[in-house]
Amino acid sequence: MIDIALIRETPEQLRDALSKRGESVSVVDEILSLDTQRRTQLQDSEALRLQRNQISKAMGQIKDTDERAQQQAKVKAIKQDLSNIETQLAQIQSELDARLNALPNIPSEATPVGASEDENVILSPEITPPVPAYPVRPHWELTDSVNRIDFDQGVKLCGSRFYVLHGDFARLQRALIAYLLQNHSDAGYHETLLPVMVHESVVYASGQLPKFRDNLYKDHESNIFFAPTAEVPLTSLYAKEVLTQDALPQRLCAYSPCFRREKASAGRDVRGIKRGHQFDKVELYTLCSPEQAAQELDHMKDTAVHACEALGLSYRVKQLCTGDLGFAAQTTFDIEVWAPGCQEWLEVSSVSHCGDFQARRAHIKYRSEVKGKANFLHTLNGSGLGIPRTMIAILEQYQRPDHWIEVPSVLQSFMQCERIALKPVTDQVR
């Protein structure tokens, strides 16, 4: 959430930010108008309360019955006026909150200006992906082995965009998750295991609501949501708390299954496991002071990059432009890996600095001195890594011509093997 004081004092900054994001700037004038109405109503309310209290106090000294009745009538009228103002104020506040909650974060000065993903900036030296000397099957064709992806069974169980992993493919995913958690723990991130269902206030605090409501799965009876990413519960671990400066930075990591309806991607990327309604991810999350944020952003990005390097994957780093920036982010770096079977770069990590945007929503503050003022801290988040797309890259980059897949060296101890055979399926296995 953006500080209303900032909008009052520097509305042009917000207009400029929205323009750079490709958003309408008319909402700024709407917010300023509603804020003025709200403040006027509050002043009127305070004046009426003062008047009511003065009359009530004076009535104790009035002995004339008629005069006392007149004053009581005035108090009754004031109460009705106050009730009307409170009704109007509630409506104004609701409209103001709706507009404030829909405002995306203000991009940082370091974020390149651009209209769409086509204007994102590749930071790594231009990489020409290696060309295998043999045909590489896209991962969605790896369905005819004991170790396989089974899309038909996924559809049978839950419909489109679900799948089942069999044999060493399932073990490979489990090994990948274990390795990533170890990698992040070695980098100073504290591992957590979180609920996959959360309160609506928790989803709101991370910035997923109200914008992405249609993409969320919800238990309507209990009014709780399936988390679309571990970023959501991680944001609220310290909600409504004040941390000490000595406790910062708080570096956290978590594995979780994630649930998204993927409405925004309808008709896109429908082949394979690139986009699913349920998927696994390991998340990185940091809470820190504003002064620590730049260093923590570099550390988080380096941690995700190191995982790609250790897995031996061809990768590149991009900085997102303002038109492609996520709702809660001020600046974002994407890490993409090459999938030779799909013939495309796949985003496996998106590392973002959110400033105090999420902290304001979750009411998380820190205090640098024992009796000093508590201020909103900063948050950062990043995938470390997205499991399905990392699996795609491994299955395609490590595919060998004689019907087997080499296991990346850092995963071999977790899998207790060096290769995955693509053996023909028998009816018994089916």
Side-chain angles (χ1 to χ4, degrees):
M1 176 176 285
I2 297 174
D3 186 1
I4 185 65
L6 183 148
I7 301 174
R8 288 189 202 118
E9 295 166 8
T10 58
E12 283 306 318
Q13 181 182 0
L14 181 56
R15 290 190 183 96
D16 181 59
L18 291 172
S19 178
K20 289 177 178 177
R21 279 180 170 270
E23 303 276 353
S24 171
V25 301
S26 62
V27 68
V28 180
D29 289 331
E30 294 173 8
I31 289 172
L32 292 173
S33 175
L34 288 166
D35 183 52
T36 298
Q37 293 176 50
R38 183 183 70 87
R39 296 168 79 184
T40 299
Q41 294 279 30
L42 286 172
Q43 291 171 356
D44 291 346
S45 176
E46 285 301 313
L48 286 171
R49 292 179 195 280
L50 178 60
Q51 184 181 354
R52 181 192 62 186
N53 293 341
Q54 290 173 340
I55 294 173
S56 297
K57 184 177 181 180
M59 282 175 58
Q61 308 299 321
I62 298 174
K63 300 190 186 303
D64 183 81
T65 304
D66 291 340
E67 184 179 354
R68 187 178 182 84
Q70 290 176 359
Q71 297 303 312
Q72 288 175 335
K74 286 183 180 180
V75 170
K76 184 177 180 181
I78 289 173
K79 286 182 178 179
Q80 183 60 53
D81 288 343
L82 282 171
S83 177
N84 293 339
I85 286 176
E86 287 172 359
T87 300
Q88 295 171 18
L89 190 58
Q91 179 63 33
I92 292 169
Q93 188 67 59
S94 176
E95 293 180 18
L96 179 60
D97 287 345
R99 285 162 175 79
L100 289 172
N101 291 338
L103 282 178
N105 205 348
I106 295 175
S108 74
E109 291 296 324
T111 298
V113 177
S116 70
E117 62 182 12
D118 296 332
E119 297 180 71
N120 292 338
V121 179
I122 297 175
L123 300 179
S124 305
E126 188 61 36
I127 297 173
T128 301
V131 179
Y134 47 87
V136 173
R137 298 165 68 188
H139 69 282
W140 58 75
E141 292 184 5
L142 303 180
T143 60
D144 53 357
S145 166
V146 172
N147 307 306
R148 68 186 187 278
I149 308 170
D150 198 314
F151 297 102
D152 292 338
Q153 289 181 339
V155 170
K156 180 191 300 183
L157 295 175
C158 205
S160 63
R161 300 212 183 191
F162 290 90
Y163 55 89
V164 176
L165 297 179
H166 280 274
D168 285 344
F169 279 23
R171 292 177 60 215
L172 178 64
Q173 176 154 313
R174 176 158 50 89
L176 177 59
I177 293 167
Y179 161 70
L180 290 171
L181 288 170
Q182 186 61 56
N183 176 73
H184 306 337
S185 294
D186 292 344
Y189 289 88
H190 174 74
E191 184 177 344
T192 60
L193 187 60
L194 303 158
V196 297
M197 303 186 76
V198 293
H199 293 300
E200 183 168 354
S201 61
V202 174
V203 187
Y204 164 79
S206 68
Q208 297 288 325
L209 287 176
K211 183 177 177 65
F212 302 108
R213 184 178 294 274
D214 289 345
N215 283 339
L216 300 172
Y217 286 102
K218 179 181 179 182
D219 178 344
H220 290 273
E221 183 176 346
S222 302
N223 195 33
I224 54 179
F225 291 77
F226 287 87
T229 165
E231 173 194 346
V232 171
L234 286 171
T235 298
S236 289
L237 276 184
Y238 295 99
K240 301 179 182 179
E241 294 187 26
V242 178
L243 306 181
T244 64
Q245 175 76 57
D246 293 343
L248 301 177
Q250 286 278 334
R251 296 174 179 170
L252 307 168
C253 70
Y255 153 74
S256 74
C258 307
F259 304 89
R260 298 179 192 172
R261 299 180 72 181
E262 289 289 357
K263 278 191 170 184
S265 64
R268 296 173 53 213
D269 310 315
V270 294
R271 301 190 74 179
I273 65 173
K274 179 179 175 182
R275 293 185 185 274
H277 297 302
Q278 176 186 333
F279 60 95
D280 288 342
K281 183 154 71 84
V282 177
E283 186 75 11
L284 299 167
Y285 200 90
T286 299
L287 303 97
C288 64
S289 68
E291 295 76 20
Q292 296 168 328
Q295 181 176 344
E296 289 303 312
L297 181 62
D298 286 341
H299 180 72
M300 184 176 288
K301 182 174 61 175
D302 291 345
T303 300
V305 165
H306 177 265
C308 293
E309 291 176 339
L311 288 166
L313 300 175
S314 299
Y315 74 92
R316 68 182 185 184
V317 180
K318 294 196 307 188
Q319 184 172 12
L320 302 194
C321 69
T322 52
D324 197 30
L325 207 57
F327 179 79
Q330 290 184 339
T331 187
T332 297
F333 297 92
D334 275 3
I335 302 166
E336 300 177 331
V337 295
W338 178 246
C342 301
Q343 284 290 296
E344 64 176 317
W345 291 98
L346 302 176
E347 175 216 317
V348 293
S349 181
S350 193
V351 177
S352 300
H353 175 211
C354 297
D356 63 8
F357 189 84
Q358 292 178 322
R360 285 183 179 276
R361 286 173 167 244
H363 302 287
I364 314 172
K365 295 184 175 182
Y366 78 102
R367 184 177 282 114
S368 57
E369 300 176 6
V370 175
K371 296 183 179 180
K373 179 184 177 182
N375 296 301
F376 290 108
L377 49 69
H378 282 204
T379 63
L380 304 94
N381 66 80
S383 308
L385 305 165
I387 301 302
R389 297 182 184 190
T390 308
M391 284 282 290
I392 292 172
I394 292 173
L395 293 174
E396 294 185 3
Q397 286 195 31
Y398 279 88
Q399 203 176 129
R400 300 297 178 253
D402 47 352
H403 304 293
W404 56 276
I405 293 170
E406 183 182 347
V407 176
S409 59
V410 293
L411 302 184
Q412 291 177 10
S413 61
F414 294 95
M415 287 197 66
Q416 295 297 302
C417 68
E418 297 180 357
R419 61 173 66 182
I420 297 172
L422 300 179
K423 300 176 182 177
V425 174
T426 65
D427 292 338
Q428 288 78 12
V429 173
R430 283 286 189 186

